[in-house]
Amino acid sequence: MTRKYKEEAVIIRQEEIAPDIYSMWLHTDYIAQEALPGQFIGVYCRDGSRLLPRPISLCEIDREDQAVRIVYRVAGKGTDEFSYMRTGMPLYVIGPLGNGFPLQQKKAFLIGGGIGIPPMLQLAKELSCEKEMILGYPDKQVFLSDQFELYGKVHIATENGSVGIKGNVLDVIRGKQLQADVIYACGPMPMLKALKTYAAEHETECYISLEEHMACGVGACLGCVCRTVHKDSHSRVRNKRICTEGPVFDAREVDI
């Protein structure tokens, strides 16, 4: 398990890359050295009335320059506050948090849906195997797809058919008859449920990153538990904390 650090990061740069989707690079003293693909950080608001950090997945990790990149959607007052911040401003963060993706050396699908796309980019960079990226968007407002193209073939699905295949990520897999030995995925729950079923039917390894409302982010409050197939050896209940035992799980182990 990686160590966690709470530190004052500094914004290197920020830009809006799609409507209400922002990319922010942060300089950190320690987090970038420890972080792994699939982990996340907690970002604290400067407004003291909002005490709890906002969990945001890591999109990229630059260990040489001690920087991490987050890509987030403005979804509330906290993330709206972040969107107005500029280069050189300090921001308190805690991380890296959670467990990341296991790096398998097998032909892989990297599947992202909506704001679940960003955490797949660092995974694409670190996997040294044959891989194809399947990205799902609501409409033509795509983001990050050009950066995924540096690491393998990219397939795009949009709900309205404005870019790529009309439909969802499974429509891409079935329509193009794609095959892989392992699936990595992050995105909305309906997508993850469908991929879990698909993987079981095809006897394919599948690792999914779950999203849930979090409070503490460090496993103390039990506010983000998910139901599991097997009982925990200590608590004897079928629950795991997404912020600590997750957010990445073997799809066979969670009941979604």
Side-chain angles (χ1 to χ4, degrees):
M1 181 176 292
T2 53
R3 294 181 60 186
K4 293 183 285 290
Y5 303 89
K6 184 176 181 181
E7 58 177 297
E8 185 180 65
V10 177
I11 298 173
I12 299 170
R13 62 182 179 274
Q14 174 162 244
E15 60 181 325
E16 188 175 18
I17 59 174
D20 289 330
I21 304 290
Y22 287 82
S23 167
M24 179 190 289
W25 275 99
L26 293 163
H27 180 270
T28 70
D29 291 327
Y30 304 104
I31 291 174
Q33 301 299 323
E34 300 281 345
L36 300 170
Q39 291 186 303
F40 65 98
I41 59 174
V43 185
Y44 290 87
C45 298
R46 294 163 66 89
D47 185 335
S49 67
R50 293 187 281 273
L51 298 177
L52 298 173
R54 271 50 181 175
I56 303 178
S57 297
L58 295 172
C59 175
E60 290 190 81
I61 304 162
D62 185 339
R63 298 181 180 92
E64 183 176 350
D65 290 336
Q66 295 178 266
V68 295
R69 182 190 188 190
I70 55 175
V71 172
Y72 63 94
R73 174 185 288 125
V74 174
K77 292 182 178 179
T79 46
D80 182 62
E81 176 190 310
F82 302 153
S83 71
Y84 287 97
M85 301 187 74
R86 297 293 177 258
T87 298
M89 296 180 71
L91 201 57
Y92 278 99
V93 297
I94 185 170
L97 302 174
N99 290 310
F101 290 104
L103 302 182
Q104 307 280 40
Q105 298 305 311
K106 304 174 182 180
K107 183 178 179 181
F109 287 156
L110 278 63
I111 302 177
I115 205 61
I117 290 171
M120 310 310 291
L121 184 56
Q122 184 65 30
L123 180 63
K125 293 169 65 175
E126 296 201 21
L127 279 176
S128 58
C129 60
E130 183 182 354
K131 50 190 173 283
E132 295 188 61
M133 279 65 74
I134 306 169
L135 311 178
Y137 303 88
D139 51 40
K140 65 180 180 180
Q141 302 294 343
V142 303
F143 54 93
L144 298 179
S145 59
D146 56 334
Q147 293 171 55
F148 278 97
E149 289 173 354
L150 300 173
Y151 308 105
K153 188 172 181 58
V154 174
H155 307 276
I156 294 177
T158 51
E159 293 174 12
N160 62 8
S162 54
V163 181
I165 285 181
K166 182 177 182 179
N168 56 42
V169 295
L170 272 176
D171 292 324
V172 174
I173 294 172
R174 290 170 174 149
K176 296 192 174 186
Q177 298 183 326
L178 304 179
Q179 294 183 339
D181 300 312
V182 59
I183 295 171
Y184 300 97
C186 183
M189 188 60 75
M191 184 191 92
L192 299 181
K193 288 180 178 179
L195 289 171
K196 173 182 168 74
T197 300
Y198 172 87
E201 291 171 350
H202 292 78
E203 298 182 344
T204 303
E205 281 186 80
C206 182
Y207 299 95
I208 56 178
S209 179
L210 300 182
E211 297 180 352
E212 183 56 87
H213 293 294
M214 297 181 187
C216 71
V218 296
C221 71
L222 304 180
C224 63
V225 297
C226 66
R227 187 168 176 80
T228 55
V229 174
H230 304 292
K231 288 184 179 180
D232 179 81
S233 59
H234 298 290
S235 66
R236 307 305 299 168
V237 296
R238 292 187 173 90
N239 285 333
K240 287 190 182 294
R241 298 162 295 178
I242 291 175
C243 67
T244 49
E245 283 90 17
V248 176
F249 295 95
D250 185 323
R252 296 169 298 183
E253 296 180 358
V254 289
D255 186 7
I256 60 172

